Amino acid sequence: MRLLIVWPLLLALLAFPTPGLADIAPSPLAGLSEPRPMDAKAAQGISMKHETVTIELHDAYALIDATFTMANPGPPKELQVGFPGRNVRLDDLQEHAAHEPLEGFSVWVEGQAVPSEAREVERSIPTWPPGSGRTRTQRETWHVFTTRFAQGDTKIRVRYGVVSSPYSGRSAHTGEQLIDGRRVWYILETGGLWAGPIGEIVVRIQARGGVKPESIRVRTQARDTRWKVPKPGAASPSLETSRDKEGITLRCKRLDATRSDNLQIVYSPDPQRIPRTKFLLDTRPATRLLREALGVQDGPPE
């Protein structure tokens, strides 16, 4: 009963942030993302031609295996590419959320494994009062690797996992409440930092473990959205959605990805498969399960 009372109250507080929240710890964001150029200016001209993403929803965590086809019309370039990890905030500070750690991050370029670095960087963020010009230092982790973009197409594949967050609240269906659920995000806006729109997106969301496929719900950060799930045929002509025995598949072409397109994925796990913890946001037992699934030795995150 304590969970049902305290957690919705926390969600309500986070839904109406105040300027002073810049000095309060951000809410955890179980975020799966697209690649981001660490130097946007150097990456000019390179676009994301296609992405195929498989997200496996387990009871306490999510795994992602994604392949991105990048198109470079110009001469070859060598760039650093990154994925946001621990403590990376969304650009809009009013969201007041920061990424949870990525576990087991692995990357391949043109089928060849390449090394990556969990790089800790510092940046300044504004603090209270608004307009004062005061800032404080924020430490965050980016998973960075170097990629050579030949002229033409370059394929980047990544695989990693995140612990999903507890969720109780409204689902994508009007009037439907999800109690004792879990939530992860797929952050599409990261892909919007490359040149032009994302050419084609295919996202497969699959139930695993004790998760029932019919419990999966998807919505975006925007209330009025072109991502209509799970009603096939009701969306815009550029978007296709479908359900099968494993979950949901979304397809979209030529998306100028912004924050409003980020996908919020909520689902109902098997309560018996969620590790019991003394504190609601204690992710350590779930992290151990995630690392076992990825074949990663237990140790400090990232």
Side-chain angles (χ1 to χ4, degrees):
M1 181 62 68
R2 182 182 179 187
L3 173 63
L4 299 181
I5 296 174
V6 175
W7 185 242
L9 176 60
L10 176 60
L11 290 173
L13 290 173
L14 293 174
F16 300 97
T18 63
L21 283 177
D23 295 319
I24 301 176
S27 58
L29 178 75
L32 307 165
S33 302
E34 296 177 323
R36 174 174 180 167
M38 299 303 287
D39 183 345
K41 185 176 181 180
Q44 287 182 354
I46 298 177
S47 62
M48 188 178 294
K49 182 178 179 179
H50 186 276
E51 64 176 287
T52 301
V53 180
T54 299
I55 299 173
E56 295 184 352
L57 300 178
H58 294 254
D59 296 276
Y61 57 85
L63 301 177
I64 183 171
D65 194 318
T67 298
F68 307 91
T69 301
M70 312 300 295
N72 177 22
K77 294 182 181 181
E78 190 169 270
L79 301 173
Q80 289 196 328
V81 178
F83 282 74
R86 175 195 287 272
N87 218 29
V88 176
R89 297 199 186 197
L90 299 184
D91 292 335
D92 180 0
L93 292 179
Q94 274 210 326
E95 294 296 336
H96 207 63
H99 283 261
E100 288 283 81
L102 307 186
E103 299 291 343
F105 185 86
S106 300
V107 58
W108 297 262
V109 177
E110 290 297 309
Q112 300 295 316
V114 298
S116 64
E117 171 193 3
R119 180 183 301 173
E120 188 175 86
V121 299
E122 294 184 350
R123 71 183 182 101
S124 296
I125 61 172
T127 62
W128 180 264
S132 67
R134 295 178 182 176
T135 63
R136 68 178 177 85
T137 300
Q138 161 97 3
R139 290 187 177 181
E140 55 189 35
T141 300
W142 284 83
H143 293 262
V144 181
F145 54 95
T146 300
T147 302
R148 184 180 185 274
F149 292 91
Q151 187 174 37
D153 292 352
T154 299
K155 288 189 176 182
I156 299 173
R157 178 192 170 203
V158 296
R159 185 172 187 265
Y160 59 92
V162 295
V163 173
S164 55
S165 302
Y167 179 80
S168 291
R170 187 174 64 86
S171 82
H173 287 201
T174 302
E176 182 184 51
Q177 294 292 317
L178 185 66
I179 304 299
D180 294 341
R182 307 288 290 187
R183 174 170 64 177
V184 297
W185 290 82
Y186 187 55
I187 309 297
L188 279 159
E189 67 177 290
T190 315
L193 297 176
W194 300 93
I198 302 172
E200 184 176 15
I201 303 168
V202 180
V203 180
R204 298 183 177 90
I205 305 169
Q206 301 174 341
R208 294 290 185 264
V211 178
K212 295 182 178 180
E214 63 270 20
S215 76
I216 301 172
R217 299 287 184 263
V218 183
R219 64 180 179 187
T220 64
Q221 235 161 309
R223 292 188 177 182
D224 298 321
T225 174
R226 62 197 125 178
W227 297 89
K228 302 293 184 182
V229 179
K231 296 181 179 180
S236 66
S238 62
L239 173 69
E240 298 177 9
T241 66
S242 60
R243 276 191 181 272
D244 57 27
K245 62 181 181 180
E246 288 191 303
I248 294 174
T249 298
L250 303 97
R251 301 173 186 270
C252 186
K253 292 184 178 181
R254 297 193 60 78
L255 177 68
D256 287 305
T258 66
R259 166 138 314 166
S260 64
D261 297 303
N262 291 341
L263 299 177
Q264 179 183 190
I265 306 166
V266 296
Y267 63 98
S268 297
D270 180 348
Q272 300 303 317
R273 299 193 183 199
I274 299 296
R276 295 184 179 275
T277 59
K278 185 176 181 180
F279 302 104
L280 180 65
L281 298 181
D282 183 359
T283 62
R284 290 173 296 180
T287 299
R288 284 193 288 270
L289 292 176
L290 171 56
R291 288 175 174 170
E292 289 175 6
L294 290 166
V296 177
Q297 291 186 348
D298 203 17
E302 300 196 329

